[in-house]
Amino acid sequence: IKMAWGEPRVRPFKGWAIRFLEAINSTWPHAGHTMHNAAMDATPVQNILPCLFTHLPRELHLVLLEVGSTADSSNFRAVEVLLRRLMTLPSRPVVFFFTVQAWCRRHGRILWGNGLTSLPDIERNVFSKGEVTPWTMAETKMDRLCAHYDLACLSMRRALEPGLQAGRPGFSLADIAGDCLHIIHGVHGSDYASDILTNWLSVARSKVPRSVGAADAALTPRTLPRPYHKGLENSHTAARDAMCYGFVPLNHFGTIGWKTMRPLTWSTATCALAVTPASPDAPFAGCSERDKVVKCPRSVDEFKGMPPRVWIYCFHALNPKKRKRAPGLVAFLPGATLQLNLDTRVPAESGGASLPLAASRMHVGIAFLSSFEQMGIVSLGCFSGCSCDVQRINAHRGSLVRNASIFERHNFEVKGASSSCLLRIQVLNETDSGSHKFKVKTVTVADAGNQIMFS
């Protein structure tokens, strides 16, 4: 099994995805299958779609889609666009849904111990049988897509809810998903997920002919049914890939190793609050701490109450116990100013004819972290090489069902194709959370005709 090790080099057990791959390799015609994990943490499917093939190879044979865990923030028209794009790949992959759901309401902070939550009030907040939640509604929508496209829809809820509601041993919330959502935080979560997948594999395999003729081996283009959602008839061809940018540390020259994205040039300082600089030719005039390099800590507590006044690059999430890979730029205080040097030379399209670059209109998407705690508000403006309306982005979000941190995407229109469109993002004094943290993950650019990607 081809896989990359992290640090430290410790894997206490095999996760459900690795077990599923081993089951494929042990039962299918050969044992040379490999797995490509393109999952993006806390990212709804509509935010994956513009840069889909920076995360996935274009030759795929079996695709597992898990979009239920972000059901409270996912757009299900985008799910169908994703599905149609995958099903029309030349390799004609088998696509199926494997849905994870939230099992209870959860608010406040989680206390972790040995990978499990230990909040005594979680059991009292378990959703009742038949209760309508964003996750049950999402599962209903996915069932309809599966029926429409003749696909398999596997569900953790359908498999495990009877045992949970009946109080059967081994099916408590701590056994399934100790934090109400994630399989890994259940005592038997990975076991149950692996069992569901391998059982489906066994049933599917029993229905496949043992011998495949030469005529069957030659794949012909797949004919899709009409879309389930109106207006998506040509979505699999109209949804063109965007130009996708990620970040590297200041003074770093090279590629982005974690995904096949373009590195975006950035600069930072602490400045007086202003939508645009007084002089486009000297954007940091009157500012201080220009391009000051600050090492990203394991936790904001390491700043000891004195966080930096500039934007910093962090490869991991700021969590001392959960070092999740989450590269991006982070700011903590009002006045922290970020300048992005963006290439917007993407021809606009209208009726199949290309417009002159100077008249082009682009959609720009800023992927940012939204959360229920400590998040701030920024202003965004274009001040050289392009133009746009002033944007205001609030990263604070709350929920009556589940407090969560999600990567959202703020889309806006930019006019003017340029090799150097300068954007200015500045943390404001305003806040709905009491704090001012803001994190930018990626930037996407696409022509304004690419409505399916950004609608």
Side-chain angles (χ1 to χ4, degrees):
I1 298 171
K2 296 179 180 179
M3 57 193 298
W5 289 86
E7 295 294 339
R9 191 182 171 93
V10 175
R11 292 187 185 275
F13 65 95
K14 292 177 182 176
W16 56 268
I18 295 297
R19 297 185 209 181
F20 183 47
L21 176 63
E22 290 183 337
I24 293 174
N25 280 338
S26 65
T27 57
W28 226 251
H30 67 86
H33 301 90
T34 57
M35 178 178 67
H36 187 95
N37 184 353
M40 296 185 66
D41 185 55
T43 305
V45 67
Q46 64 269 20
N47 294 347
I48 298 173
L49 194 57
C51 300
L52 178 63
F53 293 107
T54 65
H55 307 289
L56 278 174
R58 291 182 182 270
E59 183 176 355
L60 302 165
H61 302 105
L62 179 67
V63 181
L64 181 157
L65 293 178
E66 198 297 296
V67 298
S69 57
T70 56
D72 53 346
S73 54
S74 285
N75 178 314
F76 280 86
R77 287 174 60 85
V79 174
E80 186 174 12
V81 174
L82 171 64
L83 181 61
R84 291 176 74 85
R85 293 198 79 192
L86 292 171
M87 292 183 70
T88 51
L89 288 173
S91 57
R92 293 184 55 179
V94 173
V95 183
F96 70 101
F97 287 93
F98 175 58
T99 303
V100 173
Q101 78 148 51
W103 295 91
C104 62
R105 293 178 179 84
R106 174 172 68 78
H107 294 283
R109 299 186 66 83
I110 289 294
L111 304 176
W112 301 98
N114 298 322
L116 300 176
T117 51
S118 56
L119 290 180
D121 62 335
I122 280 185
E123 291 285 356
R124 296 198 297 269
N125 292 326
V126 172
F127 295 131
S128 60
K129 183 178 180 180
E131 183 174 351
V132 177
T133 71
W135 295 272
T136 59
M137 290 190 292
E139 196 162 57
T140 298
K141 294 174 183 176
M142 282 181 281
D143 285 343
R144 292 170 181 167
L145 285 177
C146 284
H148 188 74
Y149 288 95
D150 193 23
L151 305 177
C153 262
L154 310 183
S155 165
M156 289 284 284
R157 179 184 66 83
R158 281 196 289 264
L160 305 179
E161 187 178 52
L164 174 68
Q165 296 294 342
R168 288 170 52 192
F171 289 88
S172 68
L173 186 63
D175 291 320
I176 296 171
D179 67 345
C180 291
L181 179 66
H182 296 95
I183 293 170
I184 191 65
H185 295 306
V187 175
H188 304 301
S190 291
D191 298 325
Y192 290 146
S194 175
D195 288 347
I196 292 169
L197 290 167
T198 53
N199 178 69
W200 171 78
L201 178 69
S202 177
V203 172
R205 184 171 183 263
S206 69
K207 298 179 180 180
V208 175
R210 296 301 183 193
S211 60
V212 179
D216 297 319
L219 296 178
T220 57
R222 179 182 272 147
T223 301
L224 297 182
R226 290 181 63 85
Y228 179 80
H229 294 97
K230 293 182 179 180
L232 300 183
E233 283 74 10
N234 298 313
S235 61
H236 53 290
T237 55
R240 299 176 297 279
D241 294 332
M243 293 168 58
C244 304
Y245 295 92
F247 297 101
V248 294
L250 277 175
N251 305 320
H252 174 91
F253 300 96
T255 59
I256 298 175
W258 63 284
K259 297 291 181 188
T260 54
M261 307 185 90
R262 308 178 188 204
L264 185 58
T265 302
W266 62 282
S267 191
T268 184
T270 180
C271 307
L273 296 178
V275 173
T276 58
S279 171
D281 296 328
F284 288 117
C287 302
S288 60
E289 301 187 38
R290 170 74 184 272
D291 289 343
K292 179 180 179 181
V293 177
V294 178
K295 182 180 178 181
C296 182
R298 294 183 65 89
S299 165
V300 292
D301 294 338
E302 293 183 18
F303 290 133
K304 298 181 179 179
M306 299 181 64
R309 299 193 299 160
V310 295
W311 291 73
I312 67 173
Y313 174 84
C314 286
F315 187 73
H316 293 95
L318 294 174
N319 187 315
K321 295 184 178 180
K322 295 174 64 180
R323 297 286 285 169
K324 292 192 298 185
R325 180 179 295 186
L329 304 182
V330 191
F332 303 92
L333 294 176
T337 303
L338 174 64
Q339 177 179 297
L340 303 180
N341 191 345
L342 198 59
D343 188 341
T344 57
R345 292 175 296 178
V346 180
E349 293 188 3
S350 177
S354 295
L355 297 176
L357 285 177
S360 293
R361 297 179 300 115
M362 280 67 62
H363 284 303
V364 173
I366 304 291
F368 67 98
L369 179 67
S370 67
S371 183
F372 60 96
E373 59 179 355
Q374 299 181 349
M375 304 309 290
I377 303 171
V378 300
S379 66
L380 182 152
C382 307
F383 67 92
S384 179
C386 56
S387 63
C388 64
D389 293 335
V390 175
Q391 310 292 311
R392 182 180 181 274
I393 310 174
N394 189 342
H396 177 72
R397 75 190 308 261
S399 171
L400 297 176
V401 178
R402 182 176 72 101
N403 285 330
S405 299
I406 296 290
F407 282 104
E408 299 185 34
R409 191 180 66 229
H410 178 83
N411 300 317
F412 60 101
E413 186 176 283
V414 170
K415 297 178 181 179
S418 170
S419 62
S420 182
C421 168
L422 298 184
L423 273 58
R424 178 185 176 103
I425 302 177
Q426 189 174 59
V427 181
L428 302 177
N429 267 324
E430 307 168 50
T431 177
D432 290 335
S433 70
S435 296
H436 300 279
K437 178 184 172 183
F438 203 94
K439 180 169 186 175
V440 177
K441 183 181 182 182
T442 58
V443 179
T444 54
V445 183
D447 67 81
N450 205 349
Q451 292 292 337
I452 289 173
M453 286 291 197
F454 291 90
S455 60

